[in-house]
């Protein structure tokens, strides 16, 4: 996968996770302001990440480029929406898992 493609794929996953998190946690039809802010922040981090070529996903990255506040927010999103992703977007999650496994070899 190319660097640009990985960035796009990661943004797609983050967006889906935040949307699902907001829908079920904040009960908003549209992304609420703080979730929108978080998504924008996450996308900026993805764009700026110098480790995109070697790492798998921001949540498993050893370099924590997220600010403390945003990091705890995104962790909460991951925790609450990852099992939902398994039901609604198994292919996406599978692809994600497969690419991380390949990289760990
Ligand atoms: Zn929200």
């Amino acid at each position: 996968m190319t660097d640009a493609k990985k960035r796009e794929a990661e943004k797609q996953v983050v967006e889906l996770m935040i949307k699902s998190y907001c829908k079920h946690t904040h009960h908003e039809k549209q992304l609420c302001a703080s979730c929108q802010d978080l998504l924008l922040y996450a996308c900026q981090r993805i764009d700026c990440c110098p480790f995109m070529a070697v790492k798998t996903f921001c949540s498993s990255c050893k370099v924590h480029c997220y600010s403390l506040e945003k990091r705890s927010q995104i962790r909460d999103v991951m925790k609450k929406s990852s099992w939902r992703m398994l039901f609604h977007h198994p292919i996406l999650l599978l692809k994600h898992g497969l690419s991380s496994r390949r990289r760990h070899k």
Side-chain angles (χ1 to χ4, degrees), residues 10-58:
E10 172 142 357
K11 278 184 206 171
Q12 209 189 340
V13 174
V14 165
E15 192 179 343
L16 280 168
M17 281 196 173
I18 294 179
K19 274 184 178 164
S20 135
Y21 168 82
C22 189
K23 196 170 149 195
H24 294 272
T25 311
H26 302 144
H27 305 286
E28 302 272 354
K29 279 189 188 124
Q30 303 272 309
L31 271 188
C32 70
S34 78
C35 288
Q36 216 159 26
D37 192 47
L38 183 65
L39 177 61
L40 200 71
Y41 184 86
C43 287
Q44 279 170 355
R45 307 292 2 128
I46 291 166
D47 278 334
C48 297
C49 185
F51 305 102
M52 199 43 90
V54 289
K55 73 175 193 163
T56 55
F57 201 57
C58 276

